[in-house]
Amino acid sequence: MIEDYKKALRQGERDSKADVAAGRYPHPPVLDELVPGNRSFGQKSLGIMQIPLAMVVGTRTAGRQDAFSRTFMPMLGVRTEFATKWSHLYDAQMGEGFRDPVKVYEYLHRFYVEEGNKRTSVLKYLESPSIEADVIRILPEVRPTPERASDDAPGEKGVALADEDEGVAPGVDLYREFLEFWNAVPTYDIEFTKPGSYRRLASHLGRDLDSPWPEDAVRQLRSTYLFFRSVYLKAGGAHLDITPADAMLTYMDVYGSSRMLETPSPLLRTRLARIWAEFASSGPSSAPVLVGEPVKESGGAMSFLSGGSGYTSQRPLVAAFAYAGSLEDDFWARAHDRGRQELERHYGGIVRTLSYGGCESEAAFAAAVSDAASQGAEVFFSCSPELMDVTVRAAAEFPHTSFLNCSVNLSHGLVRSYYGRMYEAKFIAGALAASLADNHVIAYRVSLPPCGAVPEANAFAEGVAMVDPKAKVVLEWTDHGVSGIEDLVEKGITMISGTDVTAPFDDPLAHGLFKVVDGKVRNIAVPTWNWGRYYQIIVDSLLKGELPGILTQDGDGLPAGPRAVTYWYGMSSGVIDLMLSPELPYGSRKLAGVLRSAISSGAVAPFDGELLDRDGIVRSGEADRLTSNQIVGMDWLAQNIEGDFPQDLRPARVATAGLGVDADV
């Protein structure tokens, strides 16, 4: 009907004007312009199948491009032959439906129409969810497949996709993961935006991507996804900049994947509301906030009694602390528990604390959270990065409790994280090491699993280079504590940066920065954490009511996005320091003192000026200073470091997914 063409035309004109106003190109993209000479690329016919109409985004050639808006609505006048043919096709679809499939090319998980542009436009106008298409896949930058290791992410059989750093289109790495998924589960509907998501999905379902799934498993996954997608979009998911598949995977991380199809829609919607902050904080436009300095304090603990906070010794703020290890044999747990005790003493009854050790298992952690809730805990600290996943689940179950996790590279909307800029102390330790080393060689040992390990190693190396440009830092990754030191000494390396603990200097083990002289360990300096001070800063904000709320609303009253928040305090806040051996020479102590004062005041930063990595790439210019999120996201090693990342722990897993915003308040 021509009347429907008129409606579609008006919609196309509105869409085009909106695109122009927003600075977007108002017509569909052309595949031949995106991938010049695409017919010479690797191609594979996938046959006829139903494809998601929302993923049909462009045309193969520019011949009919101007006839459509970017949304595939018609743009030519009502009296044109184009309008007449479009109307006839509309009538045919409303009568008996289209009989022939359109022909499309698929490139990087999107479709470009070669034959059937008007049919595509009609179905877009009718808001059809899918369209029947004869699909030809184009593989970017194909080359003969070399012998592949079994754990390499495969492309299509017989071809390999080039990496992004070889100048091919953005998104190729993620597309490679999609092709791996496709070989096991041939469906286009499920689309992720973050690397590793396809295998995570398979793991949730008790499967892998190494072989095709049974048909019933594929049908089950499709049905589950379509059910989740429907409820999620009705709940307001279209307002977020993540895909429904991203959201479904986040839901599975919290609630598991079993029996989702049997979950009543109202219950699923209630659960979505509880974890909406996770969805809202995970999109590309909701970069996490990195808080570098605490709010300036005013008054002491007793000021809360007269300041109207509502907390008294009769009605204290209850704060719970959970440790993965036991207090008997885990130094990290003991250090945090000493901080808990200092916190309780500092507030003189206004704050009461609860302590739970041995929470490594999910059951033990859940029991601790349940007990803390029964005792009225308003804030819950999980004091190890390995507890983050269970902390997120607990935060969804107890929305009125503030949950914080001790980590720096695990960003979540439901859980704030906190960690220290330990790299500042490492920078000073590196300068001391270079000033006292005998042979321009210093060992730096990293304990596994790491947290903030790359910035700390690089800061140490920068401190070394500042004092001794000829010195090399030998990097070792270890999970064996202090064992292996003898091997270093045999190689002539006697200046060593080892495990960091707040241990006394007469400890028989070698901690912090030390030197081996005549077979004996001589301690030089130990980086230290002041967890009591850290917890005081956070609880101080809670008592004042200044800890920002987790969830906000947008202008339409729909759930919208908080950004994930990470507190990342350093020497200026008093939460990080470097304990010096009393036996250090005066000059070395003075060097450490000058650097400590300069870093605390902000006059000097470990990552000031020109920084080169081991490949000679300039990571920072002479007049530059790396931002906090650049430091947290480091996936490179400084030029004077010898050694590499462990084979099973690549940079993307050592560093962070990327903290995007610095908020030095």
Side-chain angles (χ1 to χ4, degrees):
M1 290 179 62
I2 197 65
E3 290 303 316
D4 283 284
Y5 183 83
K6 291 178 181 178
K7 292 179 183 179
L9 176 60
R10 287 195 294 271
Q11 182 62 53
E13 290 171 342
R14 287 194 296 269
D15 293 342
S16 181
K17 289 178 181 178
D19 283 338
V20 171
R24 293 188 295 262
Y25 186 64
H27 300 291
V30 176
L31 180 62
D32 283 351
E33 295 174 358
L34 294 173
V35 190
N38 64 74
R39 290 187 182 277
S40 65
F41 282 27
Q43 297 185 9
K44 180 177 181 179
S45 175
L46 302 182
I48 298 173
M49 65 185 69
Q50 290 289 325
I51 62 173
L53 194 56
M55 291 182 177
V56 180
V57 299
T59 61
R60 193 189 71 79
T61 66
R64 280 296 186 184
Q65 180 189 29
D66 293 342
F68 301 99
S69 68
R70 184 179 56 86
T71 55
F72 259 93
M73 292 299 100
M75 292 293 292
L76 301 183
V78 175
R79 299 181 183 277
T80 61
E81 180 183 3
F82 179 93
T84 301
K85 290 182 177 179
W86 192 100
S87 298
H88 287 331
L89 287 170
Y90 174 85
D91 293 338
Q93 172 61 21
M94 297 305 293
E96 57 186 23
F98 296 140
R99 296 182 177 181
D100 298 323
V102 299
K103 182 177 180 180
V104 301
Y105 284 83
E106 183 250 316
Y107 177 68
L108 295 182
H109 215 148
R110 291 295 182 268
F111 300 97
Y112 301 83
V113 183
E114 181 173 52
E115 297 175 4
N117 288 294
K118 287 187 287 292
R119 279 174 284 166
T120 301
S121 177
V122 168
L123 290 178
K124 289 260 191 181
Y125 169 71
L126 292 171
E127 298 182 349
S128 173
S130 63
I131 186 171
E132 188 176 52
D134 185 3
V135 181
I136 298 175
R137 173 174 289 159
I138 295 179
L139 293 163
E141 295 295 309
V142 295
R143 60 176 181 260
T145 306
E147 291 296 322
R148 308 181 68 93
S150 60
D151 59 347
D152 281 348
E156 291 281 3
K157 295 180 180 179
V159 297
L161 302 180
D163 295 327
E164 289 191 46
D165 57 6
E166 296 177 19
V168 299
V172 169
D173 284 344
L174 188 61
Y175 185 68
R176 180 188 290 117
E177 295 187 17
F178 165 71
L179 292 182
E180 183 181 26
F181 174 74
W182 170 273
N183 289 334
V185 186
T187 179
Y188 276 105
D189 297 89
I190 298 175
E191 180 183 24
F192 293 112
T193 61
K194 296 181 179 179
S197 295
Y198 290 104
R199 282 201 170 270
R200 271 175 55 210
L201 174 64
S203 178
H204 272 301
L205 300 175
R207 298 189 178 277
D208 56 39
L209 301 181
D210 299 329
S211 58
W213 292 14
E215 289 187 12
D216 60 336
V218 175
R219 285 195 300 269
Q220 179 82 358
L221 173 58
R222 285 174 173 162
S223 299
T224 299
Y225 170 73
L226 291 175
F227 170 63
F228 178 90
R229 180 181 180 275
S230 174
V231 177
Y232 170 74
L233 293 178
K234 288 178 181 177
H239 291 259
L240 302 180
D241 54 356
I242 61 174
T243 68
D246 290 329
M248 185 177 74
L249 190 57
T250 296
Y251 176 92
M252 289 180 172
D253 289 340
V254 178
Y255 291 108
S257 60
S258 62
R259 308 175 73 89
M260 189 187 300
L261 280 175
E262 301 175 21
T263 305
S265 296
L267 175 58
L268 178 57
R269 185 160 182 157
T270 297
R271 289 178 172 178
L272 294 180
R274 288 179 179 175
I275 62 173
W276 204 265
E278 287 294 291
F279 303 145
S281 64
S282 62
S285 64
S286 301
V289 177
L290 194 61
V291 182
E293 296 294 338
V295 176
K296 299 298 182 183
E297 297 179 33
S298 59
M302 297 307 294
S303 67
F304 299 112
L305 291 174
S306 59
S309 71
Y311 296 106
T312 67
S313 57
Q314 288 72 42
R315 186 189 174 278
L317 171 71
V318 180
F321 293 76
Y323 316 117
S326 68
L327 294 175
E328 291 74 24
D329 55 17
D330 190 308
F331 78 84
W332 185 255
R334 289 197 301 272
H336 282 272
D337 201 60
R338 284 194 295 272
R340 175 192 65 82
Q341 296 171 35
E342 292 173 20
L343 173 71
E344 195 165 56
R345 287 194 298 269
H346 176 80
Y347 286 104
I350 299 175
V351 176
R352 180 168 71 91
T353 64
L354 308 171
S355 177
Y356 303 93
C359 294
E360 187 172 9
S361 71
E362 186 167 355
F365 186 86
V369 172
S370 180
D371 183 73
S374 70
Q375 298 193 52
E378 296 180 51
V379 58
F380 196 103
F381 295 96
S382 59
C383 302
S384 176
E386 62 195 273
L387 296 178
M388 176 58 96
D389 288 345
V390 290
T391 304
V392 173
R393 297 188 190 107
E397 185 177 353
F398 297 91
H400 300 297
T401 302
S402 296
F403 284 85
L404 297 97
N405 175 260
C406 185
S407 60
V408 69
N409 57 354
L410 306 172
S411 301
H412 289 274
L414 287 173
V415 179
R416 281 161 171 65
S417 55
Y418 62 99
Y419 204 68
R421 299 198 297 270
M422 180 55 74
Y423 73 87
E424 294 175 345
K426 293 286 191 174
F427 176 74
I428 301 174
L432 285 175
S435 70
L436 298 171
D438 298 324
N439 57 358
H440 308 292
V441 181
I442 302 157
Y444 185 91
R445 313 190 87 209
V446 182
S447 297
L448 295 173
C451 186
V454 178
E456 292 171 16
N458 282 338
F460 183 89
E462 291 300 321
V464 168
M466 182 180 68
V467 174
D468 183 1
K470 296 181 180 180
K472 293 293 182 182
V473 177
V474 178
L475 181 66
E476 282 195 346
W477 298 78
T478 176
D479 55 1
H480 302 301
V482 299
S483 64
I485 291 176
E486 297 83 0
D487 295 336
L488 292 173
V489 174
E490 288 182 5
K491 297 176 183 177
I493 305 175
T494 58
M495 181 64 69
I496 302 168
S497 176
T499 305
D500 300 331
V501 294
T502 52
F505 280 106
D506 59 355
D507 193 299
L509 299 179
H511 300 292
L513 180 65
F514 60 91
K515 188 176 184 180
V516 180
V517 180
D518 297 329
K520 295 183 179 181
V521 170
R522 292 187 180 178
N523 293 101
I524 297 172
V526 177
T528 60
W529 296 89
N530 187 346
W531 290 116
R533 167 66 177 158
Y534 212 135
Y535 290 124
Q536 177 189 331
I537 293 172
I538 295 175
V539 170
D540 187 59
S541 294
L542 281 168
L543 290 169
K544 294 177 180 178
E546 293 175 352
L547 199 63
I550 287 289
L551 192 60
T552 60
Q553 291 184 333
D554 66 12
D556 298 324
L558 293 166
R563 289 172 173 173
V565 175
T566 293
Y567 303 110
W568 203 34
Y569 301 150
M571 282 188 160
S572 59
S573 306
V575 302
I576 298 293
D577 203 355
L578 187 68
M579 184 190 305
L580 303 178
S581 168
E583 299 179 2
L584 272 184
Y586 170 76
S588 297
R589 298 179 65 83
K590 185 174 181 179
L591 172 64
V594 168
L595 290 176
R596 181 191 289 114
S597 297
I599 289 173
S600 297
S601 68
V604 170
F607 299 111
D608 276 340
E610 185 177 79
L611 303 173
L612 299 178
D613 68 14
R614 294 191 316 157
D615 297 321
I617 298 174
V618 177
R619 298 290 181 168
S620 178
E622 292 183 9
D624 297 329
R625 172 179 292 188
L626 292 188
T627 64
S628 296
N629 59 288
Q630 287 174 323
I631 294 170
V632 172
M634 280 182 175
D635 58 358
W636 51 272
L637 295 173
Q639 190 177 44
N640 58 336
I641 290 180
E642 291 183 352
D644 204 347
F645 298 99
Q647 285 297 109
D648 59 345
L649 197 65
R650 299 308 305 160
R653 294 175 58 193
V654 177
T656 178
L659 290 168
V661 175
D662 301 324
D664 296 322
V665 297

